[in-house]
Amino acid sequence: IRTENIPHKLSQGMQGFAFNLRRPMFADVRVRQALNLAFDFEWSNKNLFYSQYTRSTSFFSNSEMASSGVPTAEEKALLDPLDLPQTVKTEAFNLPVTDGSGNIRDNLRQAADLLKAAGWSVSDGKLMKDGKPFVFEMLLVQADFERVVLPFQRNLARLGITLNLRMVDSSQYLERLRNFDFDMMVTSFGQSLSPGNEQRSFWSSTAADIP
């Protein structure tokens, strides 16, 4: 869930909420889309960040390598062998947008429809599937991020989802990160203006299994 773009003279970075896709609750892309709809970037930017941020739409924002529009024929040729949703090849990528008022009823309605399609249903105010409630934890190491996460927590509660905040010290944080012991966390992906070998550590299947 991309929260902001952080430009620098020689590099750029993207900061956001990262899912641990090893958790079964996040396996369905519709669930991840629903949680993305529940994050009100426009309200947070206006009320918490003095409207200083722009939301990232690419891992390479502010560069000629940034994704934009519908894939070209050459890009489609690279995408065809991959097991990806058809919409990746036919639709431009866009993040949900709100009016910044804090009223995201339309977004939450879309999110509820996605969760229902993914097999979740509300019972006594709790989102349930296979008899288990949708509960997950946001792992934090900086207290400043609580003010960013709390509005997100309130929006998720309207969907019946329980988000618990867990603040730990840096040693515990690193230990849990290294052992994939988290549900969601705040992280950033720094990119140079000339991406190189570091991409393997970000995205390769081999790197995914390395603590």
Side-chain angles (χ1 to χ4, degrees):
I1 300 175
R2 304 174 186 190
T3 61
E4 61 194 81
N5 177 55
I6 310 170
H8 299 281
K9 290 183 178 179
L10 299 178
S11 64
Q12 60 271 324
M14 182 168 63
Q15 186 176 68
F17 301 151
F19 299 91
N20 183 352
L21 296 186
R22 298 166 184 82
R23 298 291 198 251
M25 69 184 75
F26 299 139
D28 194 312
V29 66
R30 293 169 295 188
V31 170
R32 303 196 299 273
Q33 290 171 336
L35 269 63
N36 192 25
L37 283 160
F39 179 71
D40 190 349
F41 171 80
E42 283 70 29
W43 183 92
S44 296
N45 193 32
K46 182 173 68 174
N47 291 279
L48 303 178
F49 305 130
Y50 306 99
S51 300
Q52 293 186 47
Y53 291 118
T54 57
R55 203 172 188 190
S56 300
T57 56
S58 170
F59 285 100
F60 303 101
S61 292
N62 301 326
S63 80
E64 61 184 8
M65 291 174 293
S67 63
S68 63
V70 177
T72 64
E74 292 84 357
E75 290 168 336
K76 287 181 180 178
L78 294 172
L79 294 170
D80 281 340
L82 305 177
D83 183 19
L84 296 171
Q86 188 63 28
T87 53
V88 173
K89 306 173 189 177
T90 59
E91 299 178 11
F93 174 75
N94 292 295
L95 288 161
V97 177
T98 71
D99 62 8
S101 68
N103 180 4
I104 60 168
R105 184 176 299 174
D106 290 342
N107 278 24
L108 294 181
R109 187 179 295 112
Q110 294 178 55
D113 290 342
L114 286 166
L115 291 166
K116 183 178 180 180
W120 294 87
S121 60
V122 177
S123 177
D124 294 327
K126 299 294 183 182
L127 195 66
M128 307 286 292
K129 185 177 182 181
D130 300 328
K132 298 180 180 179
F134 197 134
V135 179
F136 70 100
E137 181 181 273
M138 177 75 77
L139 184 65
L140 298 174
V141 69
Q142 293 176 285
D144 289 347
F145 275 106
E146 285 190 12
R147 66 182 186 138
V148 182
V149 178
L150 288 174
F152 181 48
Q153 181 188 52
R154 289 194 294 270
N155 288 337
L156 290 176
R158 294 174 64 184
L159 293 169
I161 297 172
T162 299
L163 168 58
N164 295 317
L165 276 60
R166 175 63 63 88
M167 184 69 61
V168 297
D169 61 34
S170 57
S171 296
Q172 290 177 300
Y173 183 82
L174 287 173
E175 184 66 17
R176 291 186 61 172
L177 175 60
R178 288 168 177 162
N179 290 285
F180 314 123
D181 184 18
F182 66 94
D183 298 329
M184 184 179 283
M185 60 181 289
V186 178
T187 192
S188 59
F189 299 89
Q191 301 284 3
S192 67
L193 293 181
S194 180
N197 294 336
E198 73 275 5
Q199 304 307 313
R200 294 193 183 96
S201 65
F202 281 150
W203 319 119
S204 73
S205 298
T206 300
D209 296 324
I210 298 174

